[in-house]
Amino acid sequence: MPEYKAPLRDMKFVMDELLDMQTHYQSLGADECTEDMVDAILSEGAKFCENVLAPLNRVGDEEGCTWSEDGVKTPTGFKEAYQQYVEGGWPSMTCDPEYGGQGLPASIGIAVSEMVGSSNWAWGMYPGLSHGAVDTVEMHGTEEQKQTYLTKLISGEWTGTMCLTEPHCGSDLGLLKTKAEPNADGSYNITGTKIFISAGEHDMAENIIHICLARLPDAPKGTKGISLFIVPKMLPNEDGSVGERNAVACGSIEHKMGIHGNSTCVMNFDGAKGWLIGPENKGLNCMFTFMNFARIGTALQGSSAMESSFQGALTYAKDRLAMRSLSGPKAPEKAADPIIVHPDVRRMLLTIKSLGEGGRALAYLTAKQADIVKSPNSSEEAKKEADELLGFLTPIAKAFLTEVGFECTSHGMQVYGGHGFIAEWGMEQLMRDVRISMMYEGTTGIQALDLLGRKVLMTQGEALKRFTKIVHKFCKENEGNEAIAQFVAPLAEHNKEWGDLTMKIGMAAMKNRDEVGASSVDYLMYSGYVCLAYLWAEMAKVAQEKLDAGTEEEAFYKAKLQTAKFYFDRILPRTRAHAVTMLSGAENLMDMEEENFAFL
Amino acid sequence: MPEYKAPLRDMKFVMDELLDMQTHYQSLGADECTEDMVDAILSEGAKFCENVLAPLNRVGDEEGCTWSEDGVKTPTGFKEAYQQYVEGGWPSMTCDPEYGGQGLPASIGIAVSEMVGSSNWAWGMYPGLSHGAVDTVEMHGTEEQKQTYLTKLISGEWTGTMCLTEPHCGSDLGLLKTKAEPNADGSYNITGTKIFISAGEHDMAENIIHICLARLPDAPKGTKGISLFIVPKMLPNEDGSVGERNAVACGSIEHKMGIHGNSTCVMNFDGAKGWLIGPENKGLNCMFTFMNFARIGTALQGSSAMESSFQGALTYAKDRLAMRSLSGPKAPEKAADPIIVHPDVRRMLLTIKSLGEGGRALAYLTAKQADIVKSPNSSEEAKKEADELLGFLTPIAKAFLTEVGFECTSHGMQVYGGHGFIAEWGMEQLMRDVRISMMYEGTTGIQALDLLGRKVLMTQGEALKRFTKIVHKFCKENEGNEAIAQFVAPLAEHNKEWGDLTMKIGMAAMKNRDEVGASSVDYLMYSGYVCLAYLWAEMAKVAQEKLDAGTEEEAFYKAKLQTAKFYFDRILPRTRAHAVTMLSGAENLMDMEEENFAFL
């Protein structure tokens, strides 16, 4: 099993040196977030992840969760780790101080979540899902609902879930059938079956608060007739203590490819008591308000997995001996050279490294926008701008980072050769765990439609321009900077091409709406590679400046420049394929008759 | 679980219409291989695979193999299926008639293996590994060894293994330690530990014949001191019956990501009795003589998995309802449209279909060369030519088809959305099972070095030219063919570029040997895409001719042309990325100091 070591140096590089979070925290009015304070949080988080969560990662995979009539048992150690997490005050870190939260910026939470995710993603989903429930109640709950539920969710005493998916519908929630019938006392009886409910039932907390989508009796059809309900597993007493059992139960848990440590439940609501949260029939809108944030959380699964995979692969590549370097022995005293001398092994390692570090930068940049959106200190203009940037970057971060995250866990396995296939090494678990991230919280296809259809084309390209302007400004400012010209020039070309491609797709889409879906995933991947190119150019600039100024950490900054070079040389050219493919038209997809796909 | 239906129509298209196997079989002198006869074999094989093997695929995954002191138990039904397989005469199909084989061409065996592989890869590995043992004894065994072992292996009464890998070495067999000490009676005592031995121990047959690599006491170091030994699990009596137990045993079975139904064994040789096969210290050379063929078998795992994944994904895409087509409802009578109306779902389906059908063509083309090499009827010149083509195509088929096979099983899962992650649907098993194919029988990196280093550069490009000449001839012949010009023109461009890229890499490699490893995997993937482009152009030509001539199967041939168009529009452009990347130089890989890969 690869040992996890939190990459604090690189996290701090992104936070302090690339994104200047210190200035950012001051502008949010978060004066308590001094560098020392943030460092202390990250160090404490690192210890917890390295020492408590990481050792449970394989346990969780091997044992999985077990269902019985009495409930779901989580793997050995999961419950105790959660207790420690609660005692450490981690659940409340970024939550509203009025209800017991610590009110820290979301971006600090994201940094901690990355470490949790790298060390044990399946475990991290329990508090992760709670966070979704917290956001919903915080934004849409009544004061009474907040008093009853929010305090306990924020403290971590209770956990929460998001009950959206049903057996026949996931991406298309307009089809959902779960019904909510009003009672005389203002509550509702919720009846229906929900599936894929992460952390739907478990033994970590005394109560579980389900945020459940359902239809009122007279609701309009489709997505405009969906309302949101709070459905607690145990009905709370007046004094806030846990009372009677509600009529909601886990029918079974799914057998899945990965994230075995997380209980993925079929939840049966049999006239369970629930309370409306937010306005009637506006449930989906309420969900959308925090979906961007939930999706950054999923994007993190991609970058977290890249970090773990990289650490595992690097260790092995330095240890394992096989063959001699083609350019002459590098470890003549040994029976063979360590495989890190071989160019193709380095290609795999650097692919993971460049996408992983670039991915971290993208996730944190996105979280920075979320900070601004959420802060009462932000001006309306700053909020609007950050919100639009957040909306643009989120589908890219979610889909691109999970796609390349999956790819990179495969490279990590490949470095091990046949051993990568063997469970003991832990590399194959990383791949099985991360594979879901391309599907839940909106598949890559859904994210791509959100990006190209809703965010870019529906704004006549404004959302894209907001970002390309930032890139353009960077390129202009660094036009004469010879040291990083090798990055700035191709970045500027891509930045221009991005707009051109968008224009062409927009024109084609006016004639045929299928052109959007036909080009969307290529467009999204292209966008992801350009976003990372921008971030690598920025990182290269920072590194070059440090080197020019003289630094004790020369090796660190030199490695940043080398990784940037690798990214531009060997990863960015993938845009050449996507640029051609996205313009190839919808006909090559749509012309084939349904019955002619196979002749069996 | 996706139901498997043998794609006989497409298999016959490749065999009869694309590769003209009938003429080929006649030139081999295999007159018994009439179209009717081949059809009958394929139909019988299809029935066995659809009815017996496919239903055991998930059983094998769920149960796995179980180890005890007494041996390894295979999953429920595996043993009985093997019995049926033996009774049906399948093991002997392509083997030497002198020892009980039916002497059919290898390419027919490959077609049957494809069906076995699509329906249950883990099961298919038991007879598959036997085949390796058969080839070894057939080619290098003494008459006595053939009489003792070959007959029983060919009949399927006994099975075989290949014992190469040791804990500390896989790709680099020069490091192997297992030793062979001569006895006075001409036998040897074999001592050492072998790992990853597929089908190393099981309950399907009364004896298991291990072909084991070991070192003689006075053997030179490295790969030049390796010899090959036959080590039976049960020592055969004079009369050929099974006698005493030999000192070779399975120490444990591996816990793996996939192919759970196959017993992957740690084999302990504790002074086990063995007999030298082939000349002393020439073990590796003996292995190489049939390795090409074993690698076509592994290439098949990629194309087999694509077929299964495609069938599963297509069924779901037609059934599952979600959202409306962007260009207007396609199934207004239903609550939503089936997802096959969405362009991005089609993109995934057609990606699998075009790579899967193209992959089949490549595997069969490669097998056709193996037929020629093996046939006593082939002229020396034909043999030489086929052998060189086989050597060139094999690493491409092995690595490229397993890489895209893995990619395609991921697309197949993705079509299912979240359901793809759930074991019951069977789509995630396909991915877990196929992942090993990129590692065993030589990793993708090893294949790429074999292709670029050994096959292409060491022959001064001759091996490549042999193939590009074939492509060039095709392009010349079809220059004026307007109907397929959309395929011929880009194919000709790629064919030329392929040579140019090779030349550039060759020049760079003369200055720096690391350039070979730095460009090899990109070169291999590029080569794979061009090979499939050639085959798709050929297939398009066949289809166009059938349509021009008038046919009852218009839909079938139209779909071929549409799939070819998809391939050229949306898959072939991937070469744009590889072409740039492979020329980017070794520095971006080699410059980073080993200790600077991470700062943890």
Side-chain angles (χ1 to χ4, degrees):
Chain A
M1 193 62 204
E3 204 177 289
Y4 174 67
K5 194 95 178 46
L8 292 173
R9 181 65 192 91
D10 202 67
M11 291 165 69
K12 284 170 57 58
F13 173 77
V14 174
M15 294 180 82
D16 299 340
E17 302 173 59
L18 175 69
L19 300 177
D20 191 11
M21 289 293 203
Q22 275 305 309
T23 311
H24 165 69
Y25 292 142
Q26 279 159 26
S27 78
L28 297 176
D31 299 328
E32 72 279 23
C33 298
T34 59
E35 212 177 315
D36 284 352
M37 208 272 221
V38 176
D39 282 2
I41 294 174
L42 296 184
S43 299
E44 276 309 303
K47 266 189 237 165
F48 178 71
C49 293
E50 292 167 3
N51 302 330
V52 180
L53 294 185
L56 295 176
N57 193 36
R58 194 153 140 65
V59 177
D61 186 55
E62 283 186 306
E63 286 187 21
C65 295
T66 40
W67 181 95
S68 77
E69 289 281 342
D70 303 328
V72 170
K73 203 184 152 300
T74 54
T76 306
F78 269 43
K79 189 177 168 174
E80 292 73 18
Y82 184 71
Q83 204 49 49
Q84 266 187 268
Y85 186 76
V86 170
E87 281 161 16
W90 296 106
S92 66
M93 191 168 50
T94 61
C95 300
D96 189 344
E98 258 189 74
Y99 303 92
Q102 299 170 56
L104 292 174
S107 59
I108 298 180
I110 283 290
V112 174
S113 293
E114 183 207 306
M115 297 188 284
V116 171
S118 290
S119 50
N120 193 332
W121 184 266
W123 184 93
M125 290 178 73
Y126 294 94
L129 267 292
S130 272
H131 219 85
V134 165
D135 284 345
T136 314
V137 181
E138 210 170 273
M139 275 187 273
H140 304 290
T142 61
E143 185 52 36
E144 198 194 328
Q145 287 170 337
K146 289 185 188 179
Q147 290 300 344
T148 310
Y149 299 104
L150 201 51
T151 324
K152 302 270 191 175
L153 284 168
I154 286 178
S155 71
E157 284 166 276
W158 297 356
T159 68
T161 77
M162 304 300 307
C163 295
L164 283 66
T165 304
E166 299 184 3
H168 61 289
C169 70
S171 303
D172 189 357
L173 290 172
L175 301 174
L176 77 81
K177 292 175 182 166
T178 296
K179 55 185 182 181
E181 290 159 312
N183 296 319
D185 66 355
S187 70
Y188 294 80
N189 281 348
I190 312 290
T191 305
T193 301
K194 296 287 179 177
I195 64 167
F196 301 163
I197 306 309
S198 300
E201 175 63 29
H202 57 78
D203 54 6
M204 287 178 166
E206 59 169 12
N207 203 4
I208 301 172
I209 309 306
H210 304 289
I211 307 292
C212 180
L213 291 183
R215 283 185 190 286
L216 292 168
D218 53 354
K221 279 194 166 184
T223 53
K224 285 175 181 154
I226 297 173
S227 305
L228 212 56
F229 297 86
I230 300 187
V231 187
K233 172 183 168 185
M234 312 300 285
L235 295 166
N237 294 322
E238 287 282 317
D239 64 356
S241 66
V242 152
E244 240 180 288
R245 178 68 194 249
N246 200 356
V248 51
C250 169
S252 63
I253 50 179
E254 305 281 3
H255 298 103
K256 318 182 292 290
M257 180 184 223
I259 52 167
H260 293 161
N262 187 268
S263 67
T264 307
C265 299
V266 175
M267 296 302 297
N268 297 319
F269 293 79
D270 294 319
K273 209 162 190 177
W275 289 270
L276 185 70
I277 176 167
E280 289 186 2
N281 300 326
K282 299 280 183 210
L284 266 201
N285 300 41
C286 293
M287 301 284 305
F288 274 123
T289 52
F290 73 84
M291 219 171 240
N292 276 338
F293 198 69
R295 286 175 174 179
I296 306 175
T298 312
L300 268 188
Q301 188 172 2
S303 58
S304 297
M306 289 191 266
E307 179 65 37
S308 322
S309 183
F310 179 68
Q311 292 191 17
L314 179 60
T315 304
Y316 193 78
K318 288 179 176 179
D319 284 353
R320 176 80 175 182
L321 307 180
M323 299 191 276
R324 291 295 178 190
S325 163
L326 286 178
S327 54
K330 297 291 179 288
E333 74 288 2
K334 294 183 180 157
D337 287 335
I339 60 174
I340 198 169
V341 309
H342 303 309
D344 191 56
V345 171
R346 287 172 163 252
R347 182 187 61 83
M348 294 188 277
L349 288 172
L350 289 167
T351 299
I352 315 176
K353 183 178 168 70
S354 65
L355 288 166
E357 292 178 5
R360 174 176 296 123
L362 177 58
Y364 289 15
L365 171 67
T366 311
K368 188 179 178 184
Q369 312 313 313
D371 283 350
I372 301 170
V373 173
K374 286 185 161 191
S375 169
N377 264 41
S378 307
S379 68
E380 277 314 303
E381 202 197 318
K383 258 189 191 177
K384 187 173 170 289
E385 197 164 322
D387 195 38
E388 284 174 17
L389 195 52
L390 178 65
F392 175 74
L393 290 176
T394 299
I396 299 175
K398 196 279 181 188
F400 178 75
L401 294 185
T402 58
E403 291 278 338
V404 298
F406 172 66
E407 176 198 326
C408 286
T409 56
S410 183
H411 293 311
M413 273 181 73
Q414 191 72 17
V415 168
Y416 280 67
H419 292 275
F421 202 62
I422 306 299
E424 275 87 341
W425 291 100
M427 299 303 284
E428 57 90 38
Q429 182 192 342
L430 295 177
M431 187 203 270
R432 286 186 290 103
D433 284 356
V434 80
R435 181 61 183 81
I436 186 61
S437 64
M438 292 145 69
M439 301 190 283
Y440 61 18
E441 280 295 328
T443 62
T444 298
I446 296 286
Q447 303 297 333
L449 282 182
D450 179 47
L451 173 69
L452 179 58
R454 184 191 301 255
K455 303 287 167 59
V456 173
L457 296 181
M458 266 172 63
T459 65
Q460 270 79 47
E462 275 311 309
L464 172 66
K465 264 180 232 155
R466 185 177 302 285
F467 190 74
T468 53
K469 259 186 204 165
I470 298 170
V471 179
H472 181 72
K473 187 160 166 268
F474 172 83
C475 293
K476 271 282 161 206
E477 282 170 5
N478 292 282
E479 239 171 11
N481 189 340
E482 273 311 308
I484 58 166
Q486 58 181 319
F487 310 127
V488 175
L491 176 61
E493 279 166 38
H494 276 85
N495 202 42
K496 184 184 171 308
E497 184 185 52
W498 202 359
D500 296 345
L501 291 166
T502 307
M503 190 86 79
K504 284 178 189 162
I505 295 169
M507 301 287 282
M510 284 198 282
K511 290 185 208 142
N512 178 3
R513 289 296 296 163
D514 277 329
E515 290 285 348
V516 180
S519 51
S520 53
V521 168
D522 281 300
Y523 184 84
L524 183 139
M525 294 305 290
Y526 179 97
S527 303
Y529 289 117
V530 181
C531 283
L532 255 59
Y534 162 64
L535 288 162
W536 269 116
E538 286 266 21
M539 292 193 281
K541 184 188 169 169
V542 171
Q544 188 64 55
E545 283 171 358
K546 298 278 171 155
L547 288 169
D548 291 345
T551 164
E552 281 173 17
E553 294 187 298
E554 201 182 307
F556 178 80
Y557 294 109
K558 229 179 97 191
K560 278 276 168 239
L561 281 169
Q562 287 165 330
T563 312
K565 177 165 167 53
F566 174 88
Y567 184 85
F568 275 84
D569 281 1
R570 289 190 179 257
I571 302 293
L572 188 59
R574 297 181 182 186
T575 55
R576 298 309 84 217
H578 293 298
V580 176
T581 308
M582 75 174 86
L583 296 182
S584 72
E587 293 77 21
N588 56 33
L589 301 173
M590 306 314 292
D591 279 357
M592 191 175 287
E593 285 86 357
E594 212 177 294
E595 60 275 23
N596 295 349
F597 273 76
F599 295 82
L600 294 172
Chain B
M1 194 62 205
E3 206 176 287
Y4 174 67
K5 194 96 179 48
L8 293 172
R9 181 64 192 92
D10 202 69
M11 290 164 69
K12 283 169 58 57
F13 173 78
V14 173
M15 294 180 81
D16 299 339
E17 303 173 59
L18 176 69
L19 300 178
D20 191 13
M21 289 292 204
Q22 275 305 310
T23 310
H24 165 69
Y25 292 143
Q26 280 159 27
S27 78
L28 297 178
D31 298 328
E32 71 281 23
C33 297
T34 59
E35 212 177 317
D36 285 352
M37 207 272 222
V38 176
D39 282 2
I41 294 174
L42 296 184
S43 299
E44 278 307 305
K47 267 189 238 164
F48 178 72
C49 293
E50 292 168 3
N51 302 329
V52 179
L53 294 185
L56 295 176
N57 193 36
R58 193 153 140 64
V59 177
D61 185 56
E62 282 185 307
E63 284 186 20
C65 295
T66 41
W67 181 94
S68 77
E69 290 280 344
D70 303 328
V72 170
K73 201 183 152 300
T74 54
T76 307
F78 269 42
K79 187 176 170 173
E80 293 74 15
Y82 184 72
Q83 204 47 49
Q84 266 186 265
Y85 185 77
V86 170
E87 281 161 16
W90 296 106
S92 65
M93 191 167 51
T94 61
C95 300
D96 190 343
E98 257 189 75
Y99 304 91
Q102 300 170 54
L104 292 174
S107 59
I108 299 180
I110 283 290
V112 174
S113 293
E114 184 208 307
M115 297 188 285
V116 171
S118 290
S119 50
N120 194 332
W121 184 266
W123 184 92
M125 289 177 73
Y126 294 94
L129 266 293
S130 273
H131 218 84
V134 165
D135 283 345
T136 314
V137 182
E138 211 170 271
M139 276 188 273
H140 305 290
T142 63
E143 185 52 34
E144 198 195 329
Q145 289 171 335
K146 289 184 187 178
Q147 291 298 347
T148 310
Y149 299 104
L150 202 51
T151 324
K152 302 271 190 174
L153 284 169
I154 286 178
S155 71
E157 285 166 274
W158 297 355
T159 67
T161 77
M162 304 301 306
C163 296
L164 284 67
T165 304
E166 299 185 2
H168 60 287
C169 70
S171 303
D172 188 357
L173 289 171
L175 301 174
L176 77 80
K177 294 176 182 167
T178 296
K179 54 184 184 183
E181 290 160 311
N183 298 318
D185 66 357
S187 70
Y188 293 81
N189 281 350
I190 312 289
T191 304
T193 302
K194 296 285 180 177
I195 62 166
F196 301 165
I197 306 309
S198 301
E201 175 63 30
H202 57 78
D203 53 6
M204 287 178 165
E206 60 170 12
N207 203 2
I208 302 172
I209 309 307
H210 304 288
I211 306 292
C212 181
L213 292 183
R215 283 185 189 285
L216 292 168
D218 54 352
K221 277 196 166 182
T223 53
K224 286 177 181 151
I226 298 173
S227 305
L228 213 54
F229 298 85
I230 301 188
V231 187
K233 173 183 166 184
M234 312 298 288
L235 294 166
N237 293 324
E238 286 282 318
D239 63 357
S241 65
V242 153
E244 238 180 289
R245 177 70 194 248
N246 200 355
V248 51
C250 169
S252 63
I253 51 179
E254 304 282 1
H255 298 103
K256 320 183 289 293
M257 181 185 220
I259 52 165
H260 294 161
N262 187 267
S263 68
T264 307
C265 299
V266 175
M267 296 302 297
N268 298 319
F269 293 79
D270 294 319
K273 208 164 193 178
W275 288 270
L276 185 70
I277 175 167
E280 289 187 3
N281 299 328
K282 298 280 181 211
L284 266 200
N285 299 39
C286 294
M287 301 285 306
F288 275 122
T289 51
F290 73 87
M291 218 171 241
N292 276 340
F293 197 70
R295 285 174 176 180
I296 306 176
T298 312
L300 268 188
Q301 188 172 4
S303 58
S304 296
M306 290 192 265
E307 180 63 38
S308 322
S309 183
F310 179 67
Q311 292 191 19
L314 180 60
T315 304
Y316 193 77
K318 288 179 175 179
D319 283 353
R320 175 79 174 183
L321 308 179
M323 299 190 277
R324 292 295 177 190
S325 161
L326 286 178
S327 54
K330 296 292 179 288
E333 75 288 0
K334 294 183 180 157
D337 286 336
I339 60 173
I340 198 172
V341 307
H342 303 308
D344 190 57
V345 170
R346 288 173 162 251
R347 181 186 62 83
M348 293 188 278
L349 288 172
L350 289 166
T351 299
I352 313 174
K353 183 179 168 68
S354 65
L355 289 165
E357 292 177 6
R360 174 176 297 123
L362 177 58
Y364 289 15
L365 171 69
T366 312
K368 188 180 177 181
Q369 311 315 313
D371 283 350
I372 300 169
V373 173
K374 288 184 162 194
S375 170
N377 264 43
S378 308
S379 69
E380 278 313 304
E381 202 196 320
K383 258 191 191 177
K384 186 174 171 285
E385 197 165 322
D387 196 39
E388 283 174 17
L389 196 51
L390 178 66
F392 174 74
L393 291 176
T394 298
I396 300 176
K398 196 281 179 184
F400 177 76
L401 293 185
T402 58
E403 291 278 338
V404 298
F406 172 66
E407 177 198 326
C408 285
T409 56
S410 183
H411 293 313
M413 273 182 74
Q414 191 72 15
V415 168
Y416 280 68
H419 292 274
F421 201 63
I422 305 299
E424 275 88 338
W425 291 100
M427 299 302 286
E428 58 90 37
Q429 183 192 341
L430 295 176
M431 188 205 269
R432 285 186 291 104
D433 284 355
V434 81
R435 182 61 185 80
I436 186 61
S437 63
M438 293 145 68
M439 301 189 284
Y440 60 18
E441 280 296 329
T443 62
T444 298
I446 295 287
Q447 303 297 333
L449 282 182
D450 179 47
L451 173 70
L452 180 58
R454 184 190 303 254
K455 304 287 166 60
V456 174
L457 296 181
M458 267 171 64
T459 64
Q460 271 76 46
E462 275 311 309
L464 172 67
K465 263 181 233 154
R466 183 176 304 281
F467 190 75
T468 53
K469 258 187 206 163
I470 298 170
V471 179
H472 182 73
K473 185 160 168 268
F474 171 83
C475 292
K476 272 280 164 211
E477 281 169 6
N478 293 283
E479 237 171 10
N481 188 340
E482 274 310 307
I484 59 165
Q486 60 181 316
F487 310 127
V488 175
L491 175 62
E493 279 166 38
H494 275 85
N495 201 42
K496 185 184 172 310
E497 185 185 53
W498 202 359
D500 297 344
L501 291 167
T502 308
M503 190 86 79
K504 284 179 189 162
I505 295 169
M507 300 288 282
M510 282 197 285
K511 288 185 209 144
N512 178 2
R513 290 296 295 164
D514 276 329
E515 291 285 346
V516 179
S519 52
S520 53
V521 169
D522 280 299
Y523 184 83
L524 183 138
M525 294 304 290
Y526 179 97
S527 303
Y529 290 117
V530 181
C531 283
L532 257 59
Y534 162 65
L535 288 162
W536 268 116
E538 287 266 21
M539 293 194 279
K541 185 187 169 169
V542 171
Q544 188 65 55
E545 283 171 0
K546 298 278 171 156
L547 287 169
D548 291 345
T551 165
E552 281 173 17
E553 294 187 298
E554 202 182 307
F556 178 80
Y557 294 110
K558 232 180 96 188
K560 277 277 170 240
L561 282 168
Q562 287 166 331
T563 312
K565 178 165 166 53
F566 174 88
Y567 184 85
F568 275 84
D569 281 1
R570 288 188 180 260
I571 302 293
L572 188 59
R574 296 181 183 186
T575 55
R576 296 308 84 216
H578 293 297
V580 175
T581 308
M582 75 174 84
L583 296 182
S584 71
E587 293 77 21
N588 56 33
L589 301 174
M590 306 313 292
D591 280 357
M592 192 176 286
E593 284 86 358
E594 212 178 293
E595 61 275 20
N596 295 349
F597 273 76
F599 295 83
L600 294 171

